[in-house]
Amino acid sequence: MKRLAVAAAAILCAQIASADDLRNDALAVFKPIPSTVPEVRGNPVTPEKITLGRKLFFDPRLSGSQALSCNSCHDVGAGGSDAGPTSVGHGWQRGPRRAPTVFNSVFNIAQFWDGRAADLAAQAKGPLQNPIEMNATADVLLAVLKSMPEYVADFQRAFPKVADPVTFDNVAKALEAFEATLITPASPFDQFLAGDDNALTVTQKSGLRLFMDKGCSACHNGVNIGGDGYFPFGVIEKPGADVLPRDDHGRFMVTKTASDDYVFRVAPLRNVALRAPYFHSGQVWSLEQAVAVMGVAQLGTELTPQEVKDVTAFLGSLTGEQPRIEYPLLPPRTKETPIPH
């Protein structure tokens, strides 16, 4: 019995040491999601801005048809994205790329798959005015908001000491402030990083080790497990045209630099298990298939079925506490409110 006890203690010590080694290696590459709302450069996040931004995020009257809201494509009940490969916009048009998740997007180096927006405020202005997406104009949008006294009062509270606070810039800043609150802390992976050896299963720990050792973490790192750099899709081998459409040249369309051809911002992997389908084309519906595609395309490695299973299990540990958002009561329209177009 004494020998068995000694052997069991030795095994336990080895497991603890192994977990500590894995954790230390992970902490050198990743950072946990903070439990508090991060600061936003140039736009102090206040309760008043958050309240206003939440209303604007859910209000379909910001669109030309007054039928589409930010939440239509970035559904806070579905991982911060939508259910289809690409989003349905104005007049049933479809955009060319999958809607990125809004969750934890405040941690990204830039917004959109090609990084053309420097921050969430700049990003917010794009879909509002895009004729394929919300199909509004700044002038019409402001006319809608100014026609409702409750919105005018909300803007005055959110942006005090400003003579005319209802501006397009302030719409974007309010949306940015609300979206900065959409973080998902306390995932099993974060709990493991904080010292809980039991937060990850044996399979998830194996997947984490593979994720680092195989080279996935060279691109997918930091607090958002991605989102902070740009890399070609197809470093070793370009996927087929169904996954990588040949007419979407990625960041090249922004920079016009040849080396940016088929380069995209690295997808953040937080809550990735909630967000099928995958990639900017939205053509891969299985997370295991997405892992296998990335192995070949980015690493030049055909992962074994067990390796795919383990890495996928690790990715499941990145699902954090989802934001609990109460749907706002929106200001009623008045006789001055422009009608849909």
Side-chain angles (χ1 to χ4, degrees):
M1 291 295 292
K2 185 176 181 180
R3 289 181 179 178
L4 289 175
V6 171
I11 292 172
L12 179 60
C13 289
Q15 289 175 341
I16 292 173
S18 177
D20 286 342
D21 289 344
L22 180 62
R23 181 181 298 107
N24 290 335
D25 288 347
L27 285 170
V29 180
F30 309 109
K31 295 180 181 179
I33 293 280
S35 58
T36 57
V37 176
E39 293 183 1
V40 177
R41 184 167 52 186
N43 184 20
V45 176
T46 64
E48 294 78 13
K49 284 182 188 175
I50 294 170
T51 297
L52 172 58
R54 179 166 60 99
K55 290 181 180 180
L56 296 173
F57 188 87
F58 285 98
D59 198 334
R61 293 168 299 185
L62 271 61
S63 66
S65 65
Q66 299 191 11
L68 299 167
S69 70
C70 301
N71 192 64
S72 298
C73 298
H74 302 283
D75 191 337
V76 297
S81 190
D82 66 6
T86 57
S87 301
V88 175
H90 182 77
W92 298 101
Q93 299 177 87
R94 284 192 175 273
R97 296 175 183 161
R98 174 143 176 77
T101 179
V102 71
F103 288 175
N104 304 308
S105 57
V106 67
F107 300 117
N108 292 335
I109 190 175
Q111 306 302 320
F112 296 115
W113 285 98
D114 53 20
R116 66 184 182 275
D119 51 39
L120 285 168
Q123 184 276 332
K125 293 181 178 181
L128 289 169
Q129 301 176 95
N130 191 315
I132 296 177
E133 297 180 64
M134 296 178 75
N135 192 43
T137 66
D139 289 343
V140 170
L141 186 152
L142 294 178
V144 168
L145 296 173
K146 289 181 177 181
S147 74
M148 298 179 237
E150 184 179 327
Y151 261 137
V152 174
D154 284 340
F155 273 90
Q156 290 171 339
R157 284 189 288 267
F159 302 95
K161 300 179 182 179
V162 177
D164 181 12
V166 188
T167 66
F168 195 45
D169 282 345
N170 286 345
V171 168
K173 288 181 178 180
L175 285 168
E176 179 179 48
F178 169 67
E179 290 172 2
T181 70
L182 301 179
I183 58 176
T184 61
S187 70
F189 179 56
D190 290 327
Q191 295 174 48
F192 175 76
L193 291 179
D196 184 352
D197 291 348
N198 298 317
L200 298 184
T201 67
V202 172
T203 303
Q204 288 171 334
K205 289 175 183 176
S206 174
L208 170 57
R209 174 54 69 191
L210 284 167
F211 193 85
M212 293 187 290
D213 289 352
K214 291 288 185 179
C216 307
S217 59
C219 300
H220 296 281
N221 50 53
V223 67
N224 220 2
I225 325 295
D228 57 359
Y230 302 95
F231 287 89
F233 191 3
V235 172
I236 306 299
E237 180 180 327
K238 280 188 169 57
D242 55 333
V243 175
L244 179 63
R246 296 298 185 250
D247 58 350
D248 186 348
H249 293 266
R251 191 157 173 76
F252 171 79
M253 302 306 294
V254 178
T255 66
K256 305 303 181 184
T257 301
S259 59
D260 283 337
D261 203 20
Y262 297 111
V263 167
F264 296 86
R265 191 201 63 195
V266 177
L269 297 182
R270 293 286 184 173
N271 308 291
V272 67
L274 305 180
R275 301 202 311 270
Y278 299 106
F279 304 129
H280 67 285
S281 55
Q283 295 301 308
V284 175
W285 288 87
S286 161
L287 185 52
E288 288 194 356
Q289 182 185 353
V291 169
V293 168
M294 292 297 283
V296 173
Q298 302 302 97
L299 306 175
T301 300
E302 188 168 336
L303 300 173
T304 69
Q306 187 61 51
E307 288 173 335
V308 169
K309 179 181 178 181
D310 290 358
V311 171
T312 303
F314 162 64
L315 295 179
S317 78
L318 302 179
T319 300
E321 294 179 353
Q322 302 298 288
R324 301 290 181 177
I325 308 299
E326 181 179 352
Y327 198 98
L329 295 176
L330 301 176
R333 64 185 302 120
T334 67
K335 62 181 180 180
E336 285 80 26
T337 304
I339 62 175
H341 65 271

